[in-house]
Amino acid sequence: MSTTSSNGLLLTSMSGRHDDMEAGSARTDHSDHEELEHDPDDPFDLDNTKNASAASLRRWRQAALVLNASRRFRYTLDLNKEEHYENRRRMIRAHAQVIRAALLFKLAGEQQIGAFGSSSSTTPATSTGNFDIDLEKLVSMTRNQNMSNLQQLGGVKGVAEKLKSNLEQGIEEDEKEVTDRKNAFGSNTYPKKKGKSFYMFLWEAWQDLTLIILIIAAVTSLALGIKTEGLKEGWLDGGSIAFAVLLVIMVTAVSDYRQSLQFQNLNDEKRNIQLEVMRGGRTVKISIYDVVVGDVIPLRIGDQVPADGVLISGHSLAIDESSMTGESKIVNKDQKSPFLMSGCKVADGVGSMLVTGVGINTEWGLLMASISEDTGEETPLQVRLNGLATFIGIVGLTVALVVLVALLVRYFTGTTQDSNGATQFIKGTTSISDIVDDCVKIFTIAVTIVVVAVPEGLPLAVTLTLAYSMRKMMADKALVRRLSACETMGSATTICSDKTGTLTLNQMTVVETYAGGSKMDVADNPSGLHPKLVALISEGVAQNTTGNIFHPKDGGEVEISGSPTEKAILSWAYKLGMKFDTIRSESAIIHAFPFNSEKKRGGVAVLRGDSEVFIHWKGAAEIVLACCTQFMDSSGTLQPIDNQKEFFRLAIDAMAKNSLRCVAIACRTQELNKVPKEQEDLDKWDLPEDDLTLLAIVGIKDPCRPGVREAVRICTSAGVKVRMVTGDNLQTAKAIALECGILSSDTEAVDPTIIEGKVFRELSEKEREQVAKRITVMGRSSPNDKLLLVQALRKNGDVVAVTGDGTNDAPALHEADIGLSMGISGTEVAKESSDIIILDDNFASVVKVVRWGRSVYANIQKFIQFQLTVNVAALIINVVAAMSSGDVPLKAVQLLWVNLIMDTLGALALATEPPTDHLMHRTPVGRREPLITNIMWRNLLVQSLYQVAVLLVLNFAGLSVLGLKQDSNHAHAVEVKNTMIFNAFVMCQVGKSSPLSSPCSLKSYGLVLIMQVLQIFNEFNARKPDEMNVFSGVTKNPLFIAIVGVTFVLQILIVTFLGEFAHTVPLSWQLWLASIAIGLVSWPLAVVGKLIPVPKTPMSIYFKKPFRKYKASRNA
């Protein structure tokens, strides 16, 4: 195992300038630090875990020094997850009926004993109610995909009638109706596998090897103590250790349990998909859990099929069933193959389905009920911290072994004395039971040093701060799907953002119209247009759309649904006089080509009556215009377009320069005999897209989001380059980029700063890598262009964040270091491929995610600095004391209390610091940036040396310094001195003691308080590694204040009232003033320390050179 990990202790440096250390170090110049390249021999050198291989993940786990594997690896990826999932899937497919019956039996039993009380519970069917079809018949038909049963029931229309549902309008929008269907056919939920109980976390906390050894030692000490000293006095040593271990276990379990609940709540949010259904003729958005049998659900590319069902109608509908069948091929759905399975994804096309099975009546529901969701996942920081913990652990084990040997040698050579000055071991005189008791105490001290030295809580601090950050990020409209993305976002150097809905409001309206060969005075006033032209526009808009217009029965305001672009065009056409329902009833769509982000257009073939076929196209204005050979003028006459084409091009450019999205509407007629007759041929038919007649060009305004310009400015000042990647016209993209501040001026808008997707994709791979660095705006881009840009940027060393909402964006979202999908406009496929879902589709929320990512890294660094200071001081004082006097001032119980402060309470206090504005005033944290920067080394050494100096003075000259040499009771004087060291050490980390009195310990108590105050400042200093004012913002973290306060109170109780139990004695009030005076030195000392310049060259260079030379000589 490598102990020179670039991810662990041996790290890169800071420059000499005072950068804001809250976000880690400034990015280092790679040319200066070639030694920091990837080390293939280092198992912990894993800077990206997103697509890491199972072998590399298994390798670092095997290399880590771990005391409690069940706890340390709790939130890591289950490497056997895929195999387990596949086995369960196969079993359910083969034995679905039996498994369902067993699950229903179990649920019925639980319902009998009142296990169901909340709306989220799984509701099993209780009766068929007023419906004309049996549940079992429905379930059997869908599961077996039995076409003969479907035909016997009268096809999908017959099934809908028996379910009392309307294929066009869905079920009634009535709460009683929904409840009746849930009672008859079950709810669309499944019984979740119960999470770990608190007792399981208690059990896992017990699994720590050193704690088990300490319990054994405590029991042995307890037995020997009672035997030699009697029950009244003999239980103290062993009992105190046992109690301290139990306290550590309890606090650890409580912390872990609360953390698991946070992850559980976030997982519930991830599973709660929102989708559209038809109810009462209107499109409404509901939770996937509220889908019921009989619902009519529109399906679009990228959607998840939310339940089992039967296809009503569809065009080019293709379903990815790999999640259920295990086969990766795409299955086309039509009237010959109409059955749809829950959990599958719509790969292409559009359609609608009738729900016939929900919840545990589907194979997907049975599968979800039988597996536990794996919340575990390695993060880069987690792996690096395991490397650091392993390195520190090895040092700690070595120190513990040295202390053990030293204490045993001194003991058996007769040089160890007790508190009264008497020799502890005299050969031939000391009894066997005394020898065993003394050896157990020595062994206990050595094991306790291991407990303190091995920072088991260090890697777990990552999950703690991530859990905290993820919960807070929900309030900032960001749902984290992958833990690693939370911290990787802090390293992002560029954000490739969509335009529509992310930089803009996604609230679109048609503001300009060109129709009849000229610009309309009012965009939606039909007075100057011929009725024939208006009729064609209306038909094209009404039929070539995935949106809908709903007229409330009470005569209320018309409701328009669909994508923002669809809604804008439908609203415009409605104002022109379009009769949506009438048009849809008088003509029928016989084939459709859904809007395609590659072709930038979509079309439909519409049959009027029995003889006339019209083909309507709608899409990117300049692309549709290129396919047109004529246009319809204001009198309804067809005119050649050649003479007018330049006019229309200039009109499109003028609208684009005004930030308008330009959409053209065109049509053509098609002879009926040229339309395929068979459905199979019709599905393969390519809609003709030549010889089109231009009907209208509309300019759609989508205003920039308020605050987006400021958000872009913040990103730029933080060293994160914002790039716009959009499917819109290059002129529109340029205008929006200038408005948002992505482009600073027109002079900047030159090739290749702004570039078309087509031009970029035609470059060679090398050319793309060169050009990618300079690209700021990419217009008319396809999803594949976005993928190519991401790949080129990553090859250039950028850490890339990408936004996406469409199904075709999935490859780019997967390829990017951080994939950001849109919560409102994003498809389920895009969301599942992403790492973070931006719930409000707002670019400002993306910037907040960057801020939180930097905060995660900064908080971990604060905790490292705090914990290493404790480690260094505790190890040095115990080693020096053991080697010199044969005894250690910090006893086992005291060290366990220190460990509790350091591992659990310290992590809670420092890992939950909220982000500050300073985080966005510096450059991103690089992939190979240090965990321990040179500035942190400086702070750590200054504080550690000061603490060690105070502790050593107390240990060796404490009796003189504290005026205890004249104390007639030598044992009491030693106890006072050791209490001072313990209390000083604890309070140096956390808090301070209170004024208590003891006649013979006047000066000793003061020194206890000295170190108490020192420890207050150590934890406060760790908050701001490179700021003079360590108290700034402390009131924004009440948890930090609470933990310091609780630790302070507990320390008072331990020192004052648990004397024999904790090996302490009460102290006097005079030492309170002295301790404050000396303890205050910690703060100005930190300030002075921060004035010391640090070298630019990383310390890791010096550490690693000897190892690299050694490796090179071996390989030579």
Side-chain angles (χ1 to χ4, degrees):
M1 128 184 25
S2 170
T3 57
T4 60
S5 171
S6 62
N7 301 295
L9 190 62
L10 311 179
L11 304 154
T12 62
S13 79
M14 288 293 300
S15 62
R17 63 185 178 137
H18 285 274
D19 291 305
D20 177 21
M21 283 298 301
E22 281 195 281
S25 63
R27 300 189 73 197
T28 51
D29 185 350
H30 295 288
S31 62
D32 292 339
H33 310 312
E34 293 175 1
E35 292 88 341
L36 298 176
E37 293 173 0
H38 175 67
D39 183 359
D41 296 326
D42 183 1
F44 301 106
D45 193 355
L46 197 65
D47 58 18
N48 189 357
T49 59
K50 182 172 178 178
N51 300 312
S53 66
S56 61
L57 297 180
R58 192 173 284 111
R59 184 169 168 241
W60 81 257
R61 296 184 198 182
Q62 292 169 348
L65 175 65
V66 180
L67 298 179
N68 187 345
S70 60
R71 184 168 182 249
R72 177 80 73 88
F73 298 135
R74 180 183 296 135
Y75 295 110
T76 53
L77 185 68
D78 179 4
L79 299 179
N80 299 317
K81 175 185 174 184
E82 290 297 327
E83 184 181 350
H84 174 66
Y85 179 90
E86 183 64 19
N87 290 338
R88 295 297 303 177
R89 185 191 60 75
R90 285 177 182 167
M91 188 176 76
I92 286 169
R93 295 232 79 194
H95 309 290
Q97 197 164 345
V98 176
I99 294 169
R100 176 172 167 267
L103 195 54
L104 284 170
F105 182 77
K106 178 187 173 187
L107 289 172
E110 288 179 350
Q111 195 173 37
Q112 284 294 108
I113 61 173
F116 296 93
S118 67
S119 59
S120 62
S121 301
T122 304
T123 306
T126 53
S127 69
T128 54
N130 300 318
F131 302 101
D132 301 329
I133 189 168
D134 182 61
L135 169 64
E136 294 304 321
K137 189 178 288 186
L138 262 182
V139 172
S140 174
M141 177 190 73
T142 310
R143 183 190 303 123
N144 299 323
Q145 302 197 0
N146 194 320
M147 281 297 296
S148 62
N149 280 6
L150 179 62
Q151 289 165 358
Q152 286 172 15
L153 292 169
V156 65
K157 190 173 182 182
V159 173
E161 287 174 357
K162 293 181 188 304
L163 291 173
K164 297 184 173 13
S165 179
N166 186 300
L167 292 180
E168 291 182 0
Q169 298 195 353
I171 65 172
E172 288 301 316
E173 194 177 0
D174 179 66
E175 195 171 327
K176 184 178 182 302
E177 174 84 6
V178 172
T179 304
D180 289 345
R181 290 176 184 275
K182 284 184 178 180
N183 290 334
F185 302 107
S187 63
N188 199 29
T189 55
Y190 51 85
K192 299 174 194 169
K193 280 220 163 188
K194 291 182 180 177
K196 289 180 182 177
S197 67
F198 175 69
Y199 301 105
M200 282 301 298
F201 284 96
L202 268 179
W203 173 250
E204 286 186 358
W206 269 101
Q207 306 306 305
D208 192 308
L209 180 62
T210 50
L211 294 183
I212 292 171
I213 294 171
L214 284 175
I215 285 291
I216 295 170
V219 170
T220 306
S221 178
L222 190 65
L224 289 171
I226 293 172
K227 180 183 175 184
T228 55
E229 300 178 37
L231 181 61
K232 187 176 181 181
E233 299 289 336
W235 71 275
L236 285 171
D237 282 347
S240 61
I241 294 172
F243 176 79
V245 171
L246 291 174
L247 181 63
V248 169
I249 289 170
M250 181 61 71
V251 173
T252 300
V254 169
S255 173
D256 291 349
Y257 180 62
R258 285 175 55 82
Q259 198 172 314
S260 76
L261 292 179
Q262 289 182 2
F263 282 122
Q264 192 174 314
N265 292 336
L266 288 166
N267 285 330
D268 289 341
E269 286 288 339
K270 284 190 276 186
R271 285 191 289 259
N272 188 14
I273 297 169
Q274 300 293 311
L275 66 144
E276 291 182 345
V277 300
M278 293 297 295
R279 287 188 178 171
R282 105 202 293 171
T283 305
V284 295
K285 189 162 266 191
I286 63 170
S287 163
I288 191 172
Y289 300 132
D290 295 328
V291 171
V292 293
V293 170
D295 265 327
V296 172
I297 299 178
L299 297 173
R300 302 182 185 92
I301 183 170
D303 287 350
Q304 176 174 314
V305 180
D308 281 1
V310 182
L311 180 69
I312 299 171
S313 64
H315 300 286
S316 308
L317 189 64
I319 305 293
D320 179 3
E321 295 183 346
S322 59
S323 59
M324 290 309 303
T325 64
E327 299 174 7
S328 57
K329 66 178 183 179
I330 304 298
V331 181
N332 293 312
K333 293 293 174 180
D334 51 32
Q335 297 307 321
K336 292 180 181 177
S337 176
F339 294 101
L340 298 161
M341 285 192 292
S342 178
C344 300
K345 303 292 190 300
V346 180
D348 200 7
V350 293
S352 60
M353 66 175 281
L354 175 70
V355 175
T356 58
V358 294
I360 59 171
N361 297 319
T362 69
E363 289 184 14
W364 177 256
L366 293 176
L367 180 61
M368 291 296 100
S370 66
I371 61 173
S372 299
E373 180 157 344
D374 181 19
T375 57
E377 174 208 348
E378 276 87 339
T379 73
L381 261 181
Q382 192 178 7
V383 177
R384 294 172 70 187
L385 283 171
N386 270 283
L388 177 57
T390 297
F391 180 88
I392 298 170
I394 291 170
V395 174
L397 280 171
T398 305
V399 169
L401 187 61
V402 169
V403 170
L404 178 64
V405 172
L407 291 178
L408 287 174
V409 169
R410 290 186 62 90
Y411 179 79
F412 286 109
T413 55
T415 55
T416 303
Q417 297 178 337
D418 61 20
S419 57
N420 292 313
T423 303
Q424 284 189 302
F425 175 78
I426 300 173
K427 190 175 181 180
T429 303
T430 308
S431 65
I432 296 296
S433 62
D434 286 342
I435 293 172
V436 171
D437 190 26
D438 290 337
C439 287
V440 166
K441 288 178 182 176
I442 290 171
F443 184 71
T444 302
I445 289 167
V447 172
T448 310
I449 288 174
V450 175
V451 174
V452 176
V454 178
E456 197 74 3
L458 193 53
L460 295 172
V462 178
T463 52
L464 181 66
T465 190
L466 286 174
Y468 167 78
S469 300
M470 287 167 69
R471 181 165 54 85
K472 292 292 186 180
M473 285 168 72
M474 278 293 292
D476 284 340
K477 304 299 182 185
L479 173 61
V480 178
R481 297 189 72 255
R482 289 178 58 89
L483 282 175
S484 60
C486 206
E487 64 187 50
T488 307
M489 200 65 187
S491 301
T493 58
T494 184
I495 299 173
C496 298
S497 175
D498 286 337
K499 175 186 77 70
T500 307
T502 307
L503 296 169
T504 61
L505 282 169
N506 222 5
Q507 296 173 1
M508 301 191 187
T509 50
V510 174
V511 295
E512 282 191 36
T513 302
Y514 285 79
S518 62
K519 182 179 179 180
M520 294 172 59
D521 293 333
V522 180
D524 50 15
N525 184 358
S527 59
L529 301 178
H530 193 277
K532 182 180 178 182
L533 176 57
V534 174
L536 280 172
I537 290 173
S538 298
E539 183 180 73
V541 172
Q543 293 288 20
N544 190 16
T545 183
T546 55
N548 187 45
I549 294 181
F550 175 73
H551 296 270
K553 293 177 182 176
D554 59 5
E557 193 174 336
V558 170
E559 295 177 16
I560 300 175
S561 60
S563 71
T565 305
E566 295 283 11
K567 285 164 72 174
I569 294 174
L570 283 170
S571 178
W572 167 75
Y574 180 76
K575 290 173 183 176
L576 286 179
M578 176 184 67
K579 307 294 183 185
F580 185 81
D581 292 332
T582 304
I583 292 170
R584 304 264 294 201
S585 62
E586 290 178 349
S587 58
I589 299 172
I590 56 174
H591 186 55
F593 178 83
F595 180 84
N596 185 297
S597 53
E598 293 285 345
K599 288 196 168 186
K600 305 292 182 191
R601 58 191 180 276
V604 292
V606 176
L607 179 64
R608 290 183 183 174
D610 296 324
S611 58
E612 200 173 17
V613 175
F614 267 80
I615 294 170
H616 292 277
W617 284 97
K618 179 179 70 184
E622 70 272 23
I623 294 175
V624 172
L625 179 64
C627 300
C628 294
T629 56
Q630 52 191 358
F631 72 97
M632 185 172 285
D633 64 19
S634 56
S635 63
T637 307
L638 297 180
Q639 302 287 350
I641 204 170
D642 293 340
N643 296 332
Q644 287 289 95
K645 225 164 196 178
E646 187 60 27
F647 166 76
F648 288 124
R649 284 199 192 99
L650 291 173
I652 292 168
D653 281 344
M655 287 191 287
K657 286 175 181 176
N658 288 324
S659 308
L660 303 186
R661 168 176 280 190
C662 302
V663 176
I665 300 167
C667 71
R668 60 163 287 169
T669 57
Q670 181 73 8
E671 296 174 17
L672 188 60
N673 59 5
K674 290 185 179 179
V675 178
K677 299 290 187 291
E678 298 297 324
Q679 185 64 43
E680 191 174 334
D681 296 330
L682 194 60
D683 289 340
K684 297 176 183 176
W685 182 41
D686 291 330
L687 287 180
E689 52 187 351
D690 56 343
D691 295 328
L692 299 184
T693 298
L694 181 67
L695 301 176
I697 299 174
V698 295
I700 302 173
K701 181 68 175 174
D702 185 12
C704 278
R705 285 184 179 273
V708 74
R709 190 177 184 87
E710 175 63 12
V712 170
R713 186 198 64 76
I714 290 170
C715 278
T716 304
S717 66
V720 181
K721 183 174 178 62
V722 179
R723 293 176 164 89
M724 180 198 291
V725 184
T726 178
D728 273 356
N729 180 302
L730 197 58
Q731 292 299 326
T732 306
K734 173 187 167 184
I736 292 289
L738 286 166
E739 195 174 340
C740 294
I742 294 173
L743 289 174
S744 56
S745 64
D746 270 319
T747 55
E748 194 181 337
V750 294
D751 187 69
T753 303
I754 65 169
I755 192 171
E756 277 202 350
K758 181 182 176 183
V759 176
F760 181 70
R761 90 177 71 111
E762 289 173 352
L763 298 173
S764 67
E765 187 175 338
K766 286 286 184 186
E767 288 172 330
R768 282 200 296 269
E769 288 176 28
Q770 291 299 316
V771 169
K773 299 175 186 176
R774 300 170 60 190
I775 292 174
T776 301
V777 176
M778 184 183 287
R780 283 288 176 244
S781 69
S782 68
N784 190 55
D785 298 331
K786 187 185 284 188
L787 175 62
L788 292 173
L789 178 62
V790 170
Q791 290 171 337
L793 289 169
R794 292 192 72 210
K795 283 179 182 175
N796 286 331
D798 276 298
V799 179
V800 184
V802 167
T803 69
D805 53 13
T807 301
N808 293 332
D809 287 329
L813 291 169
H814 181 75
E815 177 73 19
D817 296 284
I818 313 102
L820 304 159
S821 64
M822 300 296 108
I824 298 172
S825 61
T827 65
E828 285 308 310
V829 170
K831 290 175 186 176
E832 288 203 0
S833 297
S834 68
D835 306 303
I836 297 174
I837 300 173
I838 304 301
L839 298 175
D840 61 353
D841 292 14
N842 192 343
F843 184 77
S845 298
V846 176
V847 179
K848 289 176 184 176
V849 173
V850 175
R851 200 163 173 258
W852 276 107
R854 295 187 177 192
S855 177
V856 168
Y857 195 89
N859 286 349
I860 294 302
Q861 287 190 311
K862 294 170 188 177
F863 182 55
I864 291 172
Q865 180 173 312
F866 172 69
Q867 187 164 52
L868 288 187
T869 307
V870 181
N871 280 24
V872 169
L875 292 178
I876 290 178
I877 186 64
N878 273 356
V879 170
V880 174
M883 299 292 284
S884 59
S885 64
D887 192 16
V888 289
L890 297 174
K891 306 301 181 186
V893 175
Q894 298 167 352
L895 284 173
L896 285 170
W897 171 234
V898 169
N899 183 67
L900 186 65
I901 296 169
M902 185 173 67
D903 261 12
T904 305
L905 300 181
L908 275 171
L910 293 169
T912 56
E913 281 279 310
T916 66
D917 292 336
H918 292 290
L919 296 172
M920 300 302 286
H921 293 164
R922 56 177 321 282
T923 53
V925 180
R927 288 182 190 274
R928 301 188 129 17
E929 292 292 325
L931 284 176
I932 308 177
T933 64
N934 281 6
I935 282 183
M936 288 172 67
W937 276 117
R938 178 196 63 197
N939 297 344
L940 191 155
L941 290 173
V942 168
Q943 291 298 320
S944 295
L945 289 173
Y946 179 60
Q947 288 187 26
V948 168
V950 172
L951 292 173
L952 289 177
V953 168
L954 282 174
N955 189 61
F956 293 107
L959 296 179
S960 300
V961 171
L962 304 176
L964 297 172
K965 278 202 169 182
Q966 290 76 30
D967 197 327
S968 58
N969 188 340
H970 181 73
H972 179 264
V974 172
E975 283 182 354
V976 170
K977 180 199 74 171
N978 287 343
T979 300
M980 282 297 303
I981 292 172
F982 164 59
N983 210 19
F985 185 63
V986 169
M987 290 302 175
C988 198
Q989 310 310 325
V990 186
K992 53 191 178 183
S993 197
S994 68
L996 303 168
S997 61
S998 177
C1000 54
S1001 57
L1002 182 66
K1003 296 181 181 177
S1004 61
Y1005 180 54
L1007 285 175
V1008 175
L1009 294 175
I1010 291 169
M1011 294 307 293
Q1012 292 175 337
V1013 174
L1014 282 174
Q1015 295 303 60
I1016 288 178
F1017 282 104
N1018 184 34
E1019 195 153 6
F1020 275 90
N1021 283 335
R1023 289 185 64 249
K1024 305 288 180 182
D1026 199 43
E1027 287 186 44
M1028 298 301 180
N1029 183 6
V1030 296
F1031 296 105
S1032 82
V1034 72
T1035 54
K1036 293 179 181 178
N1037 188 0
L1039 185 61
F1040 180 90
I1041 298 171
I1043 287 172
V1044 170
V1046 167
T1047 310
F1048 163 58
V1049 171
L1050 288 175
Q1051 183 67 13
I1052 294 172
L1053 296 175
I1054 289 171
V1055 170
T1056 310
F1057 302 110
L1058 300 178
E1060 293 184 347
F1061 189 83
H1063 301 285
T1064 60
V1065 292
L1067 303 171
S1068 67
W1069 67 268
Q1070 288 92 337
L1071 292 176
W1072 170 252
L1073 296 176
S1075 66
I1076 291 176
I1078 299 175
L1080 280 172
V1081 174
S1082 175
W1083 194 10
L1085 187 66
V1087 172
V1088 172
K1090 288 170 185 176
L1091 298 175
I1092 301 172
V1094 294
K1096 186 175 181 180
T1097 304
M1099 291 186 69
S1100 58
I1101 301 285
Y1102 303 113
F1103 281 119
K1104 293 175 77 173
K1105 272 184 180 176
F1107 291 97
R1108 292 205 165 181
K1109 285 180 181 178
Y1110 174 70
K1111 283 182 185 177
S1113 63
R1114 288 190 63 184
N1115 295 332

